[in-house]
Structures are given as structure tokens and as C-alpha cells.
Amino acid sequence: MKSQLQKINEFINNLGREEYSILEKISTTKTYKKGEVLLHQNETCRFTYSVEKGILRKFYLNDGKEITTEFLFEDDIAVSFDSYVLQKPSREFIQAITDSTVSQLDYHSFQEAKSLHSELVKLDLLITEYYAMWLENRLLEFHTLNATQRYLHLLSNQPEIIQQIPLSYIASYLGISLETLSRIRAKI
Amino acid sequence: MKSQLQKINEFINNLGREEYSILEKISTTKTYKKGEVLLHQNETCRFTYSVEKGILRKFYLNDGKEITTEFLFEDDIAVSFDSYVLQKPSREFIQAITDSTVSQLDYHSFQEAKSLHSELVKLDLLITEYYAMWLENRLLEFHTLNATQRYLHLLSNQPEIIQQIPLSYIASYLGISLETLSRIRAKI
DNA sequence: CGAGGCCTTGACCGCGGTCAATGCCCGTGG
DNA sequence: CCACGGGCATTGACCGCGGTCAAGGCCTCG
């Protein structure tokens, strides 16, 4: 997983000037206030959102309850994946948890850039591979760890999440109720 | 999801003869007997296995118990994803559930082919995107459906699984015990 | 006919969910 | 400056889904 991040960073550093400047040209930087929604459910995800500052989350609604699927920090990329890839309405919301600065890359511009510069396809592949591995690990955790273990695992791997984010979001991210999370924390 | 499969098929049909013949050259067809293991845990996954005939499954061990993560039918591709991408030892096994014929594609040959033919990178991307969406959906199902609903969902989406595969494999694929699956089936 | 693999059924239990009350912190306005 | 209200977290009582353990049924194949 981490070695994949290295690959991605190296790849970006070794990109030709031309490709690099194209990416810059088709990206726009925007700021969002805490609580603001970048992408609504049923909207088609036109952008990938690269976090420059702040924290985002992705979530969807199930029986009216918000289920958080991912937290995004600096240098992470937020995107409603299937909506973006298939250019169809999104199940997920993307929301700013804190005031945030984001560099957004337009789908169609990026598609065009990829068709002209095959290096960008490789970059896209590396990033998609990373996301797939992240998903595989998340599935594995749900199948092999109980609620307490998942919390401890999060605590040791991403302590920044626990400190900066409301427990209700964290609970749904861990697949448990807010009350259960509270009890787990009380025991430790 | 299905539209992504269409994209992939179209893309393969529109591949140049050259790319096509390269893929053929670096693939080898093999047959495996029921129960035979194509990839062991801790072995590095050197191949992608494209199923031409038969059924494969992927699984890993947790406390000595087998957890099945995926069933692969004709035209599906079996690969221990993170092991293949990072070329590191695999957590998962890949095993033939029935006598099977498989076309296997070597990692290093494919990497080389991709570096010479950027069309193949695009193909790799499309397939990886499909896998990521499949994983996203699987995660969603675990979070939104209970055991009975997951079984019914499987029954309506992939009835072939229920008919041809031992219930013990299906139970672990659904994330439940064999006994619970049996009780669910009794109620219907 | 007997053995072993696979599935079913029963009894019991614990993890984590739900509902509801209470606590705590903080911003706002009187 | 205090009082109040709202948002967020904690705690308690209760319950049900699905797990575990163990026994029993049912094929298939030697």
C-alpha cells in the first residue's frame, strides 16, 4: 500500500513538463466552508477533488442515516468513484468537515488529456490500483475484526481521524452505532 | 457496472491486431482439476488468470477458517490483486472449484507489453476500475443488507453460484456461518 | 453396508443495535 | 454575566441477529 503511494509520487515527480502543465491548466482551486457539500447525491461527479488543506468525507444515506465511507486529508483524492467513472448519478455525498482548499480536476478535460498523453493514463491506473487495494483492506477489516479491534486499528493507523472528527461520523465509518463506539472508548 | 463491462468488451474488440497478438503470445492456457490450487498463500501472484471454462474461487484463512472473497466464472479474471500489483506475497489462495481451463498472463510480460503499447494500459485501467466498483458494491452490501437480504440478493443476481457451489463456500462469501445460511434457506 | 462429506436442526449465548434519559460544552441573547 | 437551548457524547435497559457447539440426517462411493 505505502509502496504504491511511493510509486505514485515518483511518477508524478517524473512527469514531463508538458503533462504537468496540462494538469495545472485543467485544474481549478476552490475553497469550501465547514459543512459545505461539494457533491450531492444524485448529482453526477464531474470532478476529482484533491485535498490541499482541510478534511473532507464521503457518505451516503441508508434509511435516512448517514454512513461515512471515507475521510480525506491533505494530498488525498476525493471522488464518488462509480459516479465519476460511469458519469452517472452519485449515491454518495462529498462534504467538507473543516474549512478546506481543494484542487478539482474536470472529468472531460482529464479524459481528453489522457487521450493525448498516455503517461496520464498510467497515472490514473496507479491511483485506481491504490484505491482498489484500499477497498480490499477495508473489506478484510470488516470480516476479520470486531468493533473494538476496528476502533483500535483506526486509532493506531490514523489517530488524526479520532482527534479531529465527530464521533458520530467515525462510528458510521467503523460500521457501528454511536453508542457502541462510546462504550468501546469508555473501556479503554 | 454493466456498462463498464461493455466498455471493456468494446475496447478489446477494437484493439489493434498487433496488441491482440501480443496478448496471445504472452498468455498460456492451462487446465486445473477440481480442488487444485493455482496460487498459494504467501506465494507472489505472477499471473492474472482468465477463466475460459470452469469455476475458481479466491479465499484466505482467518483463525484457520477459509473466508471466500470471490467466485470467478467464464470470462472473469482471477488475481490476488495486491499481491499482483505490488509483487509481494499473497494473503489469498486461488483455487479451482471445478475442473477448469484458464488463460494466464504473466505479470512481467504484461508490464513490458504495456510499456510498448499504451492501449494495453488503458485496458488495464478499465479492468481495474471495474474491480474497484465491484469492491465498492460489496462493501455497500455488507453495510446496508442483513444476512437474509444478502443471500436473496445473491440468489437473484448470481443464481449460478447457489447451484454449483458448496454452501460452506457461499456462507463465508456472504460473511455468515454455514448454520445461519442453512436456516435462512429453510425459511424460504 | 459402513464411512465420510455435506447439510440441517436445536439449544444457548454474546455482540452490538435501539430507545430513552442524562450529562456536558458552548454560543447567543436578555 | 448568567440563563437557556442545541449539538454532541455518555450511560442504562432491553432485545434480536447471527455465532458456536453438538447431535443428527442424508447422500455417495468404496
Side-chain angles (χ1 to χ4, degrees):
Chain A
M1 286 286 286
K2 287 191 182 160
S3 64
Q4 186 74 3
L5 283 183
Q6 280 175 22
K7 263 201 242 174
I8 292 171
N9 282 327
E10 277 174 30
F11 195 91
I12 290 176
N13 291 331
N14 294 331
L15 266 188
R17 284 185 188 285
E18 200 182 344
E19 283 88 357
Y20 205 87
S21 71
I22 284 178
L23 282 184
E24 284 193 332
K25 204 177 301 168
I26 60 179
S27 300
T28 57
T29 299
K30 288 195 110 187
T31 64
Y32 294 93
K33 293 245 162 93
K34 175 176 176 172
E36 211 172 330
V37 172
L38 287 70
L39 176 75
H40 278 87
Q41 189 181 38
N42 294 327
E43 200 179 325
T44 296
C45 185
R46 274 194 55 195
F47 301 100
T48 58
Y49 302 92
S50 174
V51 181
E52 296 189 343
K53 195 159 156 299
I55 311 177
L56 309 182
R57 69 166 179 142
K58 287 160 55 176
F59 69 95
Y60 63 89
L61 296 175
N62 186 231
D63 305 330
K65 284 190 190 161
E66 299 182 355
I67 312 284
T68 297
T69 54
E70 197 176 359
F71 297 110
L72 296 305
F73 295 84
E74 215 171 300
D75 292 335
D76 288 339
I77 292 172
V79 63
S80 176
F81 190 76
D82 60 345
S83 171
Y84 180 82
V85 170
L86 302 177
Q87 287 293 294
K88 66 162 196 188
S90 174
R91 282 188 289 235
E92 293 174 306
F93 295 75
I94 300 177
Q95 184 189 33
I97 293 186
T98 65
D99 292 354
S100 301
T101 308
V102 168
S103 167
Q104 30 190 88
L105 182 55
D106 178 75
Y107 174 82
H108 294 289
S109 307
F110 188 50
Q111 287 297 112
E112 199 189 323
K114 282 196 289 184
S115 71
L116 298 174
H117 300 272
S118 64
E119 287 301 291
L120 296 179
V121 181
K122 285 187 201 168
L123 178 60
D124 199 1
L125 175 60
L126 289 175
I127 293 171
T128 304
E129 284 173 344
Y130 182 77
Y131 184 56
M133 288 190 275
W134 182 84
L135 288 168
E136 275 195 336
N137 280 325
R138 208 162 137 69
L139 261 170
L140 188 77
E141 281 166 31
F142 275 103
H143 286 159
T144 58
L145 305 180
N146 65 23
T148 304
Q149 292 170 325
R150 291 202 296 278
Y151 176 72
L152 291 175
H153 186 256
L154 187 65
L155 200 57
S156 65
N157 285 23
Q158 300 197 262
E160 69 275 22
I161 288 184
I162 278 83
Q163 289 147 18
Q164 304 179 53
I165 294 176
L167 290 184
S168 55
Y169 296 172
I170 296 173
S172 77
Y173 178 73
L174 291 172
I176 60 181
S177 69
L178 175 59
E179 294 92 328
T180 298
L181 177 56
S182 185
R183 280 184 251 269
I184 289 170
R185 287 161 56 87
K187 261 190 271 169
I188 299 176
Chain B
M1 288 285 285
K2 286 190 184 161
S3 63
Q4 185 75 2
L5 283 184
Q6 281 175 21
K7 264 200 242 174
I8 293 171
N9 282 327
E10 277 175 32
F11 195 90
I12 291 175
N13 290 333
N14 293 332
L15 266 187
R17 286 187 185 282
E18 202 181 343
E19 283 87 356
Y20 205 87
S21 72
I22 284 178
L23 283 183
E24 284 193 332
K25 204 177 299 165
I26 61 179
S27 300
T28 57
T29 299
K30 288 194 110 188
T31 64
Y32 294 93
K33 293 245 163 95
K34 175 176 176 171
E36 210 172 330
V37 171
L38 288 70
L39 175 76
H40 278 88
Q41 188 180 38
N42 294 327
E43 200 180 324
T44 296
C45 185
R46 274 193 55 196
F47 301 100
T48 57
Y49 303 91
S50 173
V51 181
E52 297 189 344
K53 195 160 156 300
I55 310 177
L56 309 183
R57 69 167 179 142
K58 288 161 53 177
F59 69 95
Y60 62 89
L61 296 175
N62 185 231
D63 306 328
K65 283 189 194 166
E66 299 182 353
I67 312 284
T68 297
T69 54
E70 196 176 358
F71 297 110
L72 295 307
F73 295 84
E74 215 172 299
D75 292 336
D76 288 340
I77 293 173
V79 64
S80 176
F81 190 76
D82 60 346
S83 170
Y84 180 82
V85 170
L86 303 176
Q87 286 293 293
K88 66 164 196 188
S90 175
R91 286 188 286 235
E92 293 174 305
F93 295 75
I94 299 177
Q95 184 189 33
I97 292 186
T98 64
D99 292 353
S100 300
T101 308
V102 168
S103 167
Q104 31 190 85
L105 183 55
D106 178 75
Y107 175 81
H108 294 290
S109 308
F110 188 49
Q111 287 297 114
E112 199 189 324
K114 282 197 289 185
S115 71
L116 298 174
H117 300 272
S118 64
E119 287 300 292
L120 296 180
V121 181
K122 285 187 202 167
L123 178 60
D124 200 0
L125 175 60
L126 289 176
I127 293 171
T128 304
E129 284 172 344
Y130 182 78
Y131 184 56
M133 288 190 276
W134 182 84
L135 288 168
E136 274 196 337
N137 279 325
R138 210 162 134 70
L139 262 169
L140 187 78
E141 280 167 32
F142 275 103
H143 286 159
T144 58
L145 305 181
N146 64 24
T148 304
Q149 292 169 325
R150 291 203 295 280
Y151 176 72
L152 290 174
H153 186 256
L154 185 66
L155 199 58
S156 65
N157 285 23
Q158 301 198 261
E160 68 275 20
I161 288 185
I162 277 82
Q163 289 148 17
Q164 304 179 55
I165 295 176
L167 290 183
S168 55
Y169 296 172
I170 296 173
S172 75
Y173 177 73
L174 292 172
I176 59 182
S177 69
L178 175 58
E179 293 93 327
T180 297
L181 177 55
S182 185
R183 280 185 251 270
I184 288 171
R185 288 161 56 87
K187 261 189 272 166
I188 299 172

